[in-house]
Amino acid sequence: MSLLAVEQLDARHGLLQAVRGVSFALAEGEILALVGANGAGKTTLLRSISGAHRISAGRVLFDGADISAVRASARVRMGIALVPEGRRLFAGMTVEENLTVAGETRRRGHWNLETVLEAFPMLRPLLRRRSGDLSGGQQQAAAIGRALMTNPRVLLLDEVSLGLSPVAVNMVYESLQGVIAGGATIVLVEQDLSRALRIATRVACMLEGRIVLEGKASDMTRERVTEAYFGLRRPDAGSAVS
Ligand code: ATP
C-alpha cells in the first residue's frame, strides 16, 4: 500500500486554479522529485499535502486514510512535515530553539537533537546563533533539521536549492543523502533537473497545474523531462498522464 497518495486533487488561489486533477502515489522509502517551471503549481501541491492550503476537490490519503479534512498541525503529528519555500525559521530564535520548538508534541522516533546534529554537522557550532543571522545554506539545514525533529514519515521539501550557493547546495544535499539512506520518504521540489534525477526514485513534471509526466527516475532522460517541462511532449507520446 502507498504511504502517501493524492487523488484528483484541485487547489485554487481565488479564481486561479493552481493544481488541476493531480494524482500520484508514493510507497514508503520512495523519493519523488517534483519539477516544473515557475508557477506550475508545485508549491501549492506541497502545501495542499501538508494541510497548509485547503484543497477544492480530490483527496489526500496517508497510510490509507483520507486526511483531506485534517488540520495541518494534526498532519504534523501524523508524520507529514513540510520544509517551506524560503525556510521560514523563527528568525529571532536560536538554531537550538528552532530545532526543539516542536517540544513534546513531536512523534517518537529516530530523530532528536543529537541525531539531527549528526546528520547536519554544520549546525553543531551554530546552536546558540540567531537563525536570522545564518547564511542561506545554514538556514536550509536548520529548516530540514527542524522538520526531521518531528520524526516525519513523509518529508515535503520545497525548493531545497533556491538562493543557495553551489557549495551550500552540495553540503545540504550531502546531509540529505544520509537522511535518504536511513529510509526516508520524501517529496521534493528541485529546479536543478540533473540533481532531481540523481536523487529521486520517481519524477513528476508539472505544467500549468497538471502532472504531464510521471514515472521512475531510472526510466527518465533529461530530454524527456525537459520536453514535458516546456510542454513540448505530444499527449500520446508514452507515459504522459492527466
Ligand atoms: P514557483 O517555482 O514559482 O514557486 P510553483 O510551481 O511552486 O512555482 P505555485 O507557487 O504553486 O507554483 O503557483 C501556482 C500558481 O498559483 C501560479 O500561477 C501562482 O502565481 C499562483 N499563486 C501562488 N500562490 C498564490 C497566492 N498566494 N495568491 C494568488 N495566486 C497564487
Side-chain angles (χ1 to χ4, degrees):
M1 188 178 54
S2 53
L3 179 58
L4 174 72
V6 301
E7 291 180 355
Q8 292 299 316
L9 192 142
D10 289 352
R12 302 178 156 277
H13 296 284
L15 291 178
L16 183 117
Q17 187 166 353
V19 177
R20 300 164 181 263
V22 162
S23 302
F24 69 81
L26 205 60
E28 196 143 23
E30 284 193 302
I31 313 296
L32 174 70
L34 262 185
V35 299
N38 285 346
K42 307 175 300 292
T43 295
T44 307
L45 177 57
L46 279 200
R47 286 172 51 79
S48 299
I49 295 169
S50 75
H53 188 93
R54 187 190 294 263
I55 64 176
S56 51
R59 304 199 299 169
V60 180
L61 300 168
F62 184 61
D63 218 1
D66 183 352
I67 59 160
S68 312
V70 173
R71 281 162 177 261
S73 54
R75 291 189 204 191
V76 174
R77 287 195 294 277
M78 294 171 89
I80 299 177
L82 171 69
V83 179
E85 198 173 351
R87 279 75 84 171
R88 306 263 174 86
L89 292 168
F90 300 108
M93 285 165 55
T94 65
V95 170
E96 183 165 6
E97 285 165 344
N98 268 283
L99 291 175
T100 53
V101 75
E104 287 312 302
T105 60
R106 67 197 191 90
R107 284 164 44 84
R108 299 268 165 262
H110 169 74
W111 296 106
N112 54 43
L113 189 56
E114 197 42 47
T115 52
V116 165
L117 294 175
E118 278 164 22
F120 292 86
M122 71 178 93
L123 293 177
R124 204 180 281 279
L126 304 173
L127 281 176
R128 304 267 181 272
R129 292 266 297 276
R130 265 181 84 254
S131 300
D133 297 337
L134 304 183
S135 71
Q138 291 165 339
Q139 288 191 8
Q140 187 61 280
I144 297 171
R146 182 178 62 178
L148 289 174
M149 286 288 286
T150 66
N151 276 297
R153 296 183 68 195
V154 173
L155 187 58
L156 308 171
L157 294 172
D158 201 356
E159 300 274 17
V160 178
S161 323
L162 194 72
L164 304 190
S165 69
V167 174
V169 174
N170 283 338
M171 229 151 60
V172 170
Y173 267 98
E174 210 172 282
S175 292
L176 260 185
Q177 285 291 5
V179 175
I180 289 168
T185 307
I186 298 178
V187 181
L188 99 161
V189 172
E190 176 52 71
Q191 290 290 1
D192 179 340
L193 211 51
S194 305
R195 198 178 280 277
L197 287 170
R198 275 204 307 277
I199 199 167
T201 56
R202 306 187 68 78
V203 176
C205 182
M206 289 186 77
L207 178 73
E208 295 169 1
R210 298 179 197 282
I211 291 183
V212 289
L213 178 71
E214 199 270 336
K216 282 190 192 168
S218 54
D219 293 342
M220 298 285 173
T221 59
R222 231 190 119 78
E223 291 67 36
R224 239 179 119 195
V225 181
T226 308
E227 280 176 17
Y229 191 105
F230 291 110
L232 304 175
R233 277 175 68 79
R234 285 172 287 116
D236 60 348
S239 63
V241 293
S242 307

